[in-house]
Structure formats: C-alpha cells, structure tokens
Amino acid sequence: MGTFCSVVKFENLQELKRLCHWGPIIALGVIAICSTMAMIDSVLWYWPLHTTGGSVNFIMLINWTVMILYNYFNAMFVGPGFVPLGWKPENSQDSVYLQYCKVCQAYKAPRSHHCRKCNRCVMKMDHHCPWINNCCGYQNHASFTLFLLLAPLGCIHAAFIFVMTMYTQLYNRLSFGWNTVKFDMSAARRDPLPIIPFGLTAFAATLFALGLALGTTKAVGMLFFIQMKIILRNKTSIESWIEEKAKDRIQYYQLDEVFVFPYDMGSRWKSFKQVFTWSGVPEGDGLDWPIREGCHQYSLTIEQLKQKADKRVRSVRYKVIEDYSGTCCPLNRGIKTFFTSPCTEEPRIRLQKGEFILATRGLRYWLYGDKILDDSVLEGVSRIRGWFPRNCVEKCPCDAETDQAPEGEKKNR
C-alpha cells in the first residue's frame, strides 16, 4: 500500500539525540506501559489461542502499538521540513514581501517561521512539540495527526482490557460478609494456576495502566480535535493568531478593508487533501502554495510585515483582572483551560491583578507574551515571558502610545 511507502530516514545519527529528551522519554514510557500491560492482561482475560475472538483481540493490540510507534517516529525523525539555507524567491522583486532570517541567512518562505528550538526556518510551521522533540509542520503534519488519532483509540482498547481483566480475575475472589466486602487476593491458590499470576502487584499495575490509558485518551484526544479543526480550515496555530491580530488591526484603525485568509480554498475536502495523501507525501513543495481566487501569493506575509511595523498590533496589550499562580494546568480557570494547556517547554508566568501583558501570540484559551515589570510599557526593558490563561486578562481599549492619536490619524494608518 502507498501509505507505507514512506519510511523513516535518518539524515545522520545526530537525529537519534532527539530521543534523549523528557518529552519522548515520557511518551514512549506511556506507550510501553499501556501496550505491555494490555498484552499481559489479554492473556489472563482472553487467551488468544483458545478462540478466534481472542486471536483477533491480541492481533489488534499489536497492530495499535505498531501503527502508533510508526507514526510517532515518522513525525519525530522525518521532521517538518526546513526552508533551505540561503533560500531566495525565484523572482527577486518578491523579496520585498518576505521577512529575512538572519540566523538561516535566507528569506522566510510563505507560511514558514523560525523555530528557536530547532534553530531553523520551518515550512508551514504549526508549533514545536516537546513530545516528539521536533516541530510539527509541512512534512510531518499528517504523521503527527495520525499519531494523535491512533493513541487514544489504542488506549480505549487497552482500557477495556484492563477493566475486563480486573473484573474477571476478581469476580471469584470476593468474600461477602454482613457489613463488609473484602477482596481475597490469595484466592488464586484455589483456582487453576494461570500462565501469568494475578496477585496484588498485578492488580496495582493494571490499575496504574488504566489511569494512564484514560488520561492519555482525554489529553491526546483533545489535541487531535484541535489539529483537525485547523487542518480542515487549511491553517496552522500560528496563522490563526496572525489572522486574529489582522482583524484587531483593521478594527482598531477603522480601515475599509477585510482580511481574507489566502490559503482557505473554501472546501474542507481540499484542505484535508493538502495534508493527507495516499502516498504519505503532502501536496506541494512546502514553499509555494495554492491560494484562493482574489488573493495575493504573499497576502499573509504582507499582513505579517504590517503587524511587525505596527508596534501596537505586534504586541496586543492586556490588563490582568484576576490572579494566576503560574501552574501548568490550573483547575480554577475552568475545564476548557485545564484540558487545553499548551504542550510546550515554554514557561507559564505568575500574574497579579493590575499588571500589564504584551501578548504576541496565542491559542483559544491561552495567550503568550511578556509581563511588563518596568514603567515604560512599550519600551519593555524588563520583562518575563510565558503562557497565561485568556480568562484572567482583558484587552486594553488602547495602548499608551496610541490612545491620544486623533481619529483622522488612526484612519490614515
């Protein structure tokens, strides 16, 4: 099948260093624990050699593990695809629409952004994911999203096996009294000895694996729906933030223009096919992109240049209205904020009511920016940078630099 034609290729042995990071270590550890315990428990609950159903169950477990690991390593080692060092547009006149990266000594191609972790300009960059210790972008977006789909499905299957194993193994080991219900884990001695003994240690390990499986299903499942939402709109997380700032700029200066996202083809199926293909290789070359009718090839990069020139839009100013402790997953900020906490190595920042924040990017329920510690708000000599929940801040009606600008001047900008 064409889906399996793309194989993981190591450019050099240096790529193996990606495994030496807390993200892959934790991710692979969870996969190993859930898969191993599911296979052990399936032998106890549904011995694969006795029935056809047992054989199918065991083969499905192995299949989940193989597909999850295949897409995980594909996303990690194939990588997002980087803009070639020293890249320039074919038409030299187009360079006026592009930003120049001093680190890569190249122009940033449309939809590309520089990643500080990878130290390269990434094609169609969505985000840097610590769980694969690599960026999610043009080349590995499909593999990364398939991993986000397969991991919860495999965990649901494993969780079912864990529950059924504990039920079947403990069913005959319950001792009922008038006032108590007592588990007798030594009752296994009265039964035919199983191939793998199910004692107190096995029960605790199965319970622990069940917790991991359910937690992974919730967390990774929500990430999958977020990714599919932006894929069907042919956007990335970064482009969604650029679009939000574009609308803010137009509204603030009361301009007679409408920002139209140039890569939205108007069809979810067309957007889907740009990422997922039978060959496993995404459409295009990662540098040139099809655009909707009436848009310019560099519409998005032109908007980025406008936002970069406009200090007010480049960093949207917010005022803290509620304290935030700086915890990774705050329970007191709401369920949606708790479950959509950014999966990144970037820190959270502690906020106190009355402080000011300059937000540079964000998600639906989270923002990223600088907490201003100096009185010079727009100078920002001293700042702390990180993520914080949206619902503990409110957007300032105007910035210190622009709130006294006359109405006519705003329109001219």
Side-chain angles (χ1 to χ4, degrees):
M1 293 178 64
T3 309
F4 298 96
C5 289
S6 60
V7 295
V8 176
K9 297 179 181 180
F10 301 99
E11 293 181 2
N12 49 58
L13 293 178
Q14 298 298 321
E15 288 292 321
L16 291 174
K17 290 184 178 180
R18 295 192 182 277
L19 293 170
C20 303
H21 183 265
W22 63 265
I25 290 173
I26 293 176
L28 293 174
V30 171
I31 294 172
I33 292 172
C34 291
S35 299
T36 303
M37 286 305 303
M39 292 179 187
I40 292 174
D41 286 358
S42 66
V43 172
L44 288 171
W45 169 60
Y46 209 8
W47 177 241
L49 298 181
H50 285 174
T51 61
T52 303
S55 301
V56 172
N57 174 69
F58 199 78
I59 291 173
M60 283 184 64
L61 275 177
I62 298 176
N63 186 54
W64 288 127
T65 304
V66 170
M67 290 195 300
I68 289 170
L69 290 176
Y70 172 80
N71 285 284
Y72 179 81
F73 287 124
N74 227 19
M76 178 187 291
F77 293 119
V78 170
F82 301 109
V83 177
L85 296 175
W87 180 84
K88 298 179 181 179
E90 293 183 2
N91 186 353
S92 59
Q93 295 180 351
D94 292 342
S95 60
V96 297
Y97 303 121
L98 301 173
Q99 298 183 54
Y100 186 79
C101 179
K102 296 180 180 179
V103 177
C104 299
Q105 295 293 307
Y107 286 94
K108 294 181 182 179
R111 312 190 78 175
S112 67
H113 303 273
H114 187 83
C115 175
R116 295 178 183 178
K117 295 289 183 181
C118 298
N119 204 32
R120 288 288 300 274
C121 286
V122 178
M123 293 190 291
K124 196 189 175 186
M125 179 178 175
D126 186 83
H127 68 286
H128 184 91
C129 178
W131 304 112
I132 62 174
N133 195 20
N134 207 339
C135 276
C136 174
Y138 163 69
Q139 289 185 352
N140 64 352
H141 205 170
S143 297
F144 180 76
T145 308
L146 286 174
F147 165 73
L148 297 182
L149 169 65
L150 294 170
L153 293 178
C155 285
I156 291 172
H157 187 187
F160 178 75
I161 291 174
F162 297 148
V163 171
M164 293 304 299
T165 300
M166 289 189 290
Y167 173 77
T168 55
Q169 292 298 313
L170 298 178
Y171 182 78
N172 295 324
R173 304 181 189 189
L174 287 173
S175 177
F176 292 92
W178 287 104
N179 298 318
T180 61
V181 178
K182 181 174 61 177
F183 286 103
D184 182 11
M185 299 304 295
S186 63
R189 299 178 216 167
R190 299 194 297 268
D191 301 329
L193 288 177
I195 296 177
I196 303 174
F198 192 84
L200 185 59
T201 303
F203 174 78
T206 301
L207 196 61
F208 176 71
L210 176 62
L212 283 180
L214 294 177
T216 301
T217 301
K218 280 186 177 181
V220 181
M222 291 193 70
L223 291 176
F224 168 73
F225 283 111
I226 292 173
Q227 285 297 314
M228 284 304 302
K229 185 176 180 180
I230 62 176
I231 287 175
L232 293 178
R233 295 178 179 178
N234 202 8
K235 296 179 182 177
T236 64
S237 301
I238 296 176
E239 291 168 350
S240 297
W241 176 242
I242 295 173
E243 184 179 25
E244 182 178 337
K245 291 198 292 183
K247 294 177 181 178
D248 178 76
R249 178 183 64 84
I250 294 171
Q251 180 181 5
Y252 181 81
Y253 292 126
Q254 301 178 14
L255 302 175
D256 295 328
E257 62 178 86
V258 177
F259 177 77
V260 179
F261 187 71
Y263 306 112
D264 184 2
M265 308 306 294
S267 169
R268 293 186 176 184
W269 175 241
K270 290 181 179 180
S271 300
F272 182 85
K273 289 195 299 181
Q274 281 201 4
V275 177
F276 298 97
T277 60
W278 285 109
S279 64
V281 180
E283 290 186 355
D285 58 0
L287 300 174
D288 296 317
W289 300 92
I291 57 174
R292 64 184 300 167
E293 187 177 353
C295 290
H296 191 274
Q297 175 67 32
Y298 300 106
S299 293
L300 193 65
T301 55
I302 292 173
E303 176 59 35
Q304 287 178 261
L305 291 173
K306 290 179 181 179
Q307 294 177 9
K308 187 175 181 180
D310 188 345
K311 188 179 292 185
R312 192 205 66 82
V313 175
R314 187 181 179 189
S315 299
V316 182
R317 190 179 182 218
Y318 289 84
K319 183 179 180 180
V320 181
I321 57 175
E322 293 185 25
D323 293 347
Y324 167 55
S325 61
T327 55
C328 181
C329 299
L331 283 170
N332 62 339
R333 305 313 312 172
I335 296 297
K336 293 181 178 179
T337 302
F338 176 81
F339 283 112
T340 57
S341 179
C343 295
T344 173
E345 293 177 300
E346 294 167 322
R348 276 59 170 173
I349 53 177
R350 186 189 301 270
L351 301 179
Q352 292 184 351
K353 187 176 180 179
E355 293 179 327
F356 290 94
I357 302 289
L358 291 180
T360 55
R361 53 191 169 94
L363 304 172
R364 185 172 182 180
Y365 298 103
W366 290 81
L367 289 171
Y368 181 88
D370 302 321
K371 180 168 72 171
I372 303 164
L373 303 178
D374 194 80
D375 291 336
S376 54
V377 175
L378 292 176
E379 302 297 334
V381 177
S382 180
R383 299 177 182 177
I384 297 177
R385 179 174 294 176
W387 289 94
F388 54 92
R390 275 184 184 265
N391 57 11
C392 66
V393 297
E394 66 177 5
K395 188 180 296 184
C396 294
C398 54
D399 285 348
E401 182 180 339
T402 59
D403 60 358
Q404 297 180 356
E407 195 68 26
E409 183 179 346
K410 289 181 181 180
K411 292 183 179 181
N412 292 334
R413 292 187 187 183

